[in-house]
Amino acid sequence: MKAILSYIDSLLPELTELRRDFHRHPELVWREIYTSAKIAAYLKDLGYEVLMGEAVCSREAQTGLPEPELLQQALD
């Protein structure tokens, strides 16, 4: 148990910086481009396979999307 708690403690500075970084780059719903990319890169670095976009959620299942031009602005 001590080893686990020690490992968690070692992650704290990195996770705190990630949280602060997310707060420096606030994003609106369905336009979380920066946040999603940052999390995907983090998980890939840990060795996980990351699926995003239509690989996990079809367009038909997405409700409340903003206008296409607003989505494009977020991507840009």
Side-chain angles (χ1 to χ4, degrees), residues 41-56:
Y42 189 84
L43 292 173
K44 284 179 183 177
D45 287 346
L46 291 175
Y48 290 94
E49 177 186 4
V50 177
L51 302 175
M52 297 174 66
E54 292 192 37
V56 293

Side-chain angles (χ1 to χ4, degrees), residues 4-46:
I4 293 172
L5 293 175
S6 178
Y7 178 67
I8 291 169
D9 282 344
S10 75
L11 292 176
L12 227 75
E14 181 180 8
L15 295 176
T16 299
E17 181 50 38
L18 277 172
R19 179 182 52 80
R20 289 178 178 160
D21 187 44
F22 294 145
H23 284 263
R24 281 191 294 271
H25 301 92
E27 299 172 288
L28 298 173
V29 67
W30 286 113
R31 291 174 266 180
E32 302 96 337
I33 309 301
Y34 179 86
T35 301
S36 297
K38 189 92 172 182
I39 292 170
Y42 189 84
L43 292 173
K44 284 179 183 177
D45 287 346
L46 291 175

